[in-house]
Amino acid sequence: MLDLLAYPFVQRALAAAFLVSIACGVMGALVVVNRMTFLAGGVAHAGYGGVGLAFFAGWPVLPTAAGFSVLAALAAGLLSRRRDERMDVTVGLLWAGGMAFGVLLLDLTEGYNVDLMSYLFGSILTVGPDTLSTMALLVALLVGLVGLFYRPLLALSLDREFAHTRGLPVGALHLLLLGLIALAVMTAVPAIGLVLVIALLTTPAHLAERHAGSLAGMMVLASLWAFAFCLIGLGLAFWLDLTSGAAIIAVAVASVAVAELLPRRKRIARPETG
Amino acid sequence: MSPPALQFEDVCFAYNGAPVLEGVSFSLPAGALLGVLGPNGAGKTTLARLAMGRLTPTSGRVLVAGRDPRKAAGRIGYVPQFMTLTQGFPVKVVDLVALGALPAGLAGWLKGGDAAGRRRRALEALEAVELADLADRPVAELSGGQRQRVLIARALVGDPELLILDEPTANIDPAGKSCIVDLLDGLAERRTVVLISHDLTVTVPHITAVAAVNRRVLFRPEPRLDQEMLELIYGLHRHDCPMDSFIHHLVERQPTLGRRHGDSAGA
């Protein structure tokens, strides 16, 4: 088994899994506590528009798709604010509109010869050095921004009215959160694809919140869970010749199913005193 | 002479063109405890959000200690109706309260600074609401009344000059409600308090001034509800509703119910 580690593509796959786990663990915690799963799905699918744009314009795929997703997420945030916070409608537009935009641009791109399935469902075993470098840069940016804005993002996640009374720019922080979600989603696309990324954002965080004592702890635990899912999924994909992204997500979903069957930690509400 | 703690000058506010508040004018001196009464949907929370600078008036202006409320960050404390916490959100009671001790403004939050000092102040605030023994508990484990007191502690730890409580007893059981009501007197000792409630039995015993809200606002600088206010709040005239006798009873009893009635002349 250790022989496998000598292969460069396996080394890159493990490094990609590590980076994706950090991105999905950190941002997954924020997605779950902010109830933004649907939004994250919309941002992920909008990323397909970025993929189409990259092929149409001949630009590098991951940076283009990441930039496109961030702009789409920010546009959704601004639009929902103008539309009296109808975020669900805006996300629906983002979701389908981004996909349609990507398909149309690819239709208009002459002679493209790409395995689009790898963007939809990921291909962690074929992540190249350039893609890995871009992923590392995105994760560094993501972790740096979350670290810097951790307390404001925590306040935003807990109570926006409170954040406002403490002089925090709630609107700008909301947009920052959307942009960070887009960055995390696009970091994960090469490994598990934009269709499946939502599961790696939510399942590790869902499991982590049961045992975490803080949001930061939830981020760390979720990252560890995500890395475990990636390793097991990768192993299954390698030995059983399965699609790697789907195998990783299958492991994640199965883990949640098992966890749901286990007894939860008992929570005792103390009686009201005085 | 110090400016009023809270001032509304002919304020109107509309959501998507539909008027919510019209022609609101009042001036609340520092140290007052204003009871804001009105039925559900009357515009009470909108009034609070205007006072916090969370909403911008369609016309008119709001001032907190003489300045735009959006520039009064840190001077205003807010206790919402209930904690909007996602189920399972991993945060301890003391950590939640300590957030209120961070200096107002983004720069202070990014810097962080004295974490031990913030924890100490948070513990003191929890002591004030009699929850110090639950400091290291996850917030998710608390009852509704305990959560409400945690929110009060979080607002108090920032030592705000103006404290706005929006229906603080609306979603808790009678025991928790009693505890919150007991806290109200102490809250007003060092600050101006705006207590929003649709529940007359919570508000009446504590206020030094009253505002009746139902799109319009009738303000009285004393703890007295008059017939005009009751008609604004409930849209009723005497003898045409089963609640009438209850309301009438409260009106008749007000001079004895207002604890600070005697020293409310300046309010």
Side-chain angles (χ1 to χ4, degrees):
Chain A
M1 180 181 168
L2 288 175
D3 296 347
L4 283 175
L5 298 176
Y7 292 106
F9 78 93
V10 174
Q11 293 167 2
R12 286 196 297 273
L14 290 174
F18 180 70
L19 293 170
V20 167
S21 300
I22 294 172
C24 288
V26 169
M27 288 314 299
L30 283 165
V31 165
V32 167
V33 298
N34 280 285
R35 302 186 184 107
M36 285 180 158
T37 304
F38 183 52
L39 175 93
V43 170
H45 285 75
Y48 199 70
V51 173
L53 180 64
F55 283 108
F56 181 75
W59 295 338
V61 178
L62 189 52
T64 304
F68 184 88
S69 291
V70 169
L71 290 177
L74 297 182
L78 291 170
L79 197 62
S80 66
R81 208 155 54 177
R82 283 184 54 199
R83 288 170 58 87
D84 202 19
E85 302 191 6
R86 286 303 308 272
M87 198 59 170
D88 53 342
V89 175
T90 309
V91 170
L93 293 172
L94 187 70
W95 190 301
M99 290 291 285
F101 184 64
V103 170
L104 289 176
L105 284 178
L106 287 168
D107 284 345
L108 296 172
T109 304
E110 288 182 8
Y112 76 90
N113 182 22
V114 201
D115 177 15
L116 290 174
M117 290 290 279
S118 69
Y119 293 101
L120 293 175
F121 300 103
S123 180
I124 197 168
L125 292 168
T126 61
V127 169
D130 290 347
T131 301
L132 196 61
S133 301
T134 307
M135 289 170 70
L137 278 175
L138 290 176
V139 170
L141 182 64
L142 193 75
V143 172
L145 286 172
V146 171
L148 180 63
F149 287 92
Y150 176 74
R151 280 182 288 267
L153 288 173
L154 173 61
L156 187 81
S157 306
L158 284 165
D159 183 346
R160 292 182 181 214
E161 301 287 358
F162 165 72
H164 177 82
T165 62
R166 300 309 299 166
L168 295 176
V170 170
L173 286 169
H174 178 67
L175 293 179
L176 173 68
L177 181 59
L178 297 181
L180 290 172
I181 291 171
L183 278 185
V185 163
M186 296 320 295
T187 301
V189 161
I192 53 171
L194 52 87
V195 173
L196 299 177
V197 63
I198 197 70
L200 205 57
L201 274 173
T202 53
T203 49
H206 176 66
L207 290 173
E209 75 177 354
R210 295 165 178 238
H211 304 287
S214 65
L215 182 62
M218 185 176 168
M219 289 173 175
V220 173
L221 272 178
S223 299
L224 292 173
W225 273 115
F227 194 49
F229 297 156
C230 286
L231 290 183
I232 298 169
L234 260 177
L236 290 174
F238 194 81
W239 279 296
L240 301 177
D241 195 20
L242 303 171
T243 304
S244 56
I248 289 168
I249 299 309
V251 171
V253 172
S255 300
V256 170
V258 170
E260 290 297 332
L261 294 175
L262 296 175
R264 285 183 177 240
R265 185 177 60 170
K266 210 171 191 176
R267 291 198 158 159
I268 305 164
R270 287 177 57 133
E272 183 64 45
T273 53
Chain B
M1 184 180 169
S2 60
L6 177 62
Q7 194 167 8
F8 276 62
E9 293 181 354
D10 199 21
V11 170
C12 296
F13 183 80
Y15 277 117
N16 296 326
V20 179
L21 291 171
E22 291 180 322
V24 179
S25 293
F26 65 86
S27 179
L28 190 67
L33 200 168
L34 172 68
V36 178
L37 297 167
N40 290 334
K44 302 189 299 296
T45 298
T46 300
L47 195 77
R49 299 183 87 197
L50 285 164
M52 290 189 291
R54 193 79 168 99
L55 296 175
T56 305
T58 312
S59 63
R61 67 172 182 166
V62 179
L63 297 171
V64 171
R67 62 172 72 181
D68 187 320
R70 285 168 295 190
K71 294 174 181 166
R75 290 168 173 252
I76 306 169
Y78 176 64
V79 178
Q81 281 188 36
F82 50 81
M83 197 179 281
T84 54
L85 196 70
T86 307
Q87 189 179 2
F89 197 126
V91 61
K92 289 178 182 172
V93 170
V94 68
D95 294 335
L96 182 76
V97 175
L99 286 175
L102 281 160
L106 182 61
W109 279 66
L110 295 183
K111 193 177 172 187
D114 181 15
R118 288 201 305 275
R119 182 181 165 87
R120 179 179 47 74
R121 287 172 60 193
L123 288 171
E124 288 169 2
L126 285 169
E127 192 74 49
V129 298
E130 300 175 13
L131 282 181
D133 56 329
L134 301 184
D136 289 312
R137 284 287 192 93
V139 175
E141 293 184 6
L142 303 187
S143 69
Q146 288 168 337
R147 287 185 181 203
Q148 211 59 32
R149 281 188 281 159
V150 167
L151 290 177
I152 292 173
R154 186 183 66 180
L156 289 179
V157 77
D159 200 19
E161 295 167 23
L162 174 64
L163 178 63
I164 301 170
L165 301 104
D166 189 359
E167 303 274 9
T169 61
N171 298 293
I172 57 178
D173 58 25
K177 181 172 163 179
S178 165
C179 183
I180 300 289
V181 169
D182 289 344
L183 278 170
L184 292 178
D185 270 339
L187 294 180
E189 284 172 2
R190 291 171 53 195
R191 56 186 58 84
T192 308
V193 176
V194 175
L195 172 62
I196 296 169
S197 179
H198 69 278
D199 185 349
L200 290 168
T201 61
V202 170
T203 315
V204 172
H206 300 277
I207 58 176
T208 61
V210 63
V213 181
N214 202 353
R215 189 185 293 191
R216 291 186 301 125
V217 172
L218 292 173
F219 176 81
R220 303 286 184 265
E222 57 184 354
R224 176 177 291 276
L225 281 168
D226 55 39
Q227 195 63 35
E228 187 186 7
M229 297 174 103
L230 293 171
E231 286 177 10
L232 176 69
I233 296 172
Y234 298 104
L236 303 169
H237 297 281
R238 291 182 62 178
H239 309 303
D240 59 0
C241 170
M243 283 187 72
D244 183 75
S245 59
F246 170 65
I247 294 168
H248 183 63
H249 173 71
L250 284 172
V251 173
E252 294 297 314
R253 289 190 61 205
Q254 275 180 73
T256 56
L257 286 171
R259 288 185 193 174
R260 292 192 185 81
H261 190 211
D263 57 15
S264 64

